[in-house]
Amino acid sequence: MGTAEPPTAALAPAPGQSQGQIRAPVKIALLLPLGGMGETAAIAKGMKQGAEMALFELNDPNVELITKDDGGTAAGARAAADAAIKEGAEIIVGPLLSQSVTGVAPVARQANVPVLAFSNNSQVAGQGIYLLSFLAEQEAERIVSFAAAQGKRRFAALIPDDAYGAVVEAAFRQAVQRNGGSVAVVERYPLAANGMLAPAKARRRGDQDRRGADGSDRRAVPAGWAGGPAANRPGHRLFRPRHDEGEAARHQRLGLPSHRA
């Protein structure tokens, strides 16, 4: 059984358009780390499928999707971008990871091809590189400002021990300072299954020890970001919920609309 060709919308004339009126399609390159079987590859494959579904729904013969595996590395992304541009790509969507964006940037700039990347590292943006993501600075500010508005002034953070964690920590400390608070502690956890459990339990024990002699609560407000390998990607950072609160309470605390009717 042969493998199916990647779907494109350049299959038939648009409604009201004759075959002779079809112009050359606009080619959009999609660069994602599709290889392997890990979490990053699974996310990338889901994004690829979403792009293909959007393309079919659009049903425009003047749009064509060129999908490339960037390997999740700067070198792989550079090669993928170069190949896509040589195939006529006029815009690049992706890559997913910040190190891949750095590989794409010089190739795209030289060809004057804009890039819409999914990285949440603002340091890789600029000069034709645009980010389609939630930035760490925005997330930290929203979380901390909401807590500060509730009268909280001491904060603790649980963050991944990787490059993304370094970005988050800087954003977190700046947000706390802007909102008149203080950082009680920052704990890092390894990028492994259940890696955050040990530091989270240690922090909880420490919080219990910090209750005042009169029973007053002097604990820091916990703010945490969870992520997998090279976790600079959208949808994988969250304010860790308290173990005893439900979804509605969590959404209210974050200033988000509830999914419940």
Side-chain angles (χ1 to χ4, degrees):
M1 181 180 295
T3 57
E5 291 295 324
T8 72
L11 302 176
Q17 187 180 51
S18 68
Q19 192 73 34
Q21 292 175 313
I22 299 178
R23 63 181 182 272
V26 174
K27 295 184 178 182
I28 302 173
L30 179 64
L31 273 56
L32 294 168
L34 297 167
M37 300 297 293
E39 181 186 7
T40 301
I43 292 171
K45 289 171 184 175
M47 296 175 73
K48 173 178 177 289
Q49 292 169 351
E52 292 170 348
M53 290 175 65
L55 192 61
F56 275 123
E57 184 176 351
L58 180 64
N59 191 30
D60 187 340
N62 297 312
V63 180
E64 181 177 342
L65 187 66
I66 303 172
T67 303
K68 299 289 184 183
D69 180 5
D70 63 29
T73 65
R78 186 181 304 111
D82 184 60
I85 291 172
K86 288 179 179 177
E87 292 178 30
E90 300 176 49
I91 186 170
I92 293 174
V93 179
L96 180 61
L97 306 178
S98 60
Q99 62 263 31
S100 300
V101 178
T102 59
V104 167
V107 176
R109 286 169 182 151
Q110 184 176 8
N112 198 29
V113 172
V115 176
L116 304 179
F118 299 114
S119 169
N120 57 12
N121 186 347
S122 60
Q123 296 179 2
V124 301
Q127 295 182 295
I129 310 298
Y130 307 93
L131 301 184
L132 295 172
S133 59
F134 295 102
L135 301 181
E137 294 86 350
Q138 295 171 334
E139 289 186 296
E141 178 61 30
R142 186 174 185 184
I143 293 169
V144 172
S145 63
F146 180 86
Q150 311 307 309
K152 310 300 182 183
R153 290 293 178 266
R154 297 180 68 249
F155 294 82
L158 180 62
I159 60 177
D161 190 12
D162 64 354
Y164 172 70
V167 173
V168 164
E169 181 176 355
F172 170 70
R173 290 184 181 278
Q174 291 169 7
V176 171
Q177 184 178 24
R178 280 194 302 270
N179 286 275
S182 63
V183 177
V185 66
V186 173
E187 294 275 4
R188 288 179 173 267
Y189 62 87
L191 299 182
N194 300 321
M196 69 175 67
L197 291 182
K201 289 179 180 178
R203 179 50 33 211
R204 184 173 178 80
R205 287 194 298 269
D207 284 342
Q208 292 172 342
D209 293 340
R210 285 178 176 81
R211 284 187 180 275
D214 59 355
S216 61
D217 192 350
R218 301 176 183 176
R219 295 174 296 171
V221 177
W225 284 258
N232 50 359
R233 53 185 181 274
H236 280 254
R237 282 79 47 199
L238 61 155
F239 186 53
R240 298 301 298 173
R242 299 185 183 94
H243 75 287
D244 57 349
E245 76 175 341
E247 180 183 7
R250 181 163 65 254
H251 279 244
Q252 183 180 14
R253 175 164 55 82
L254 294 179
L256 300 174
S258 175
H259 292 302
R260 297 181 179 179

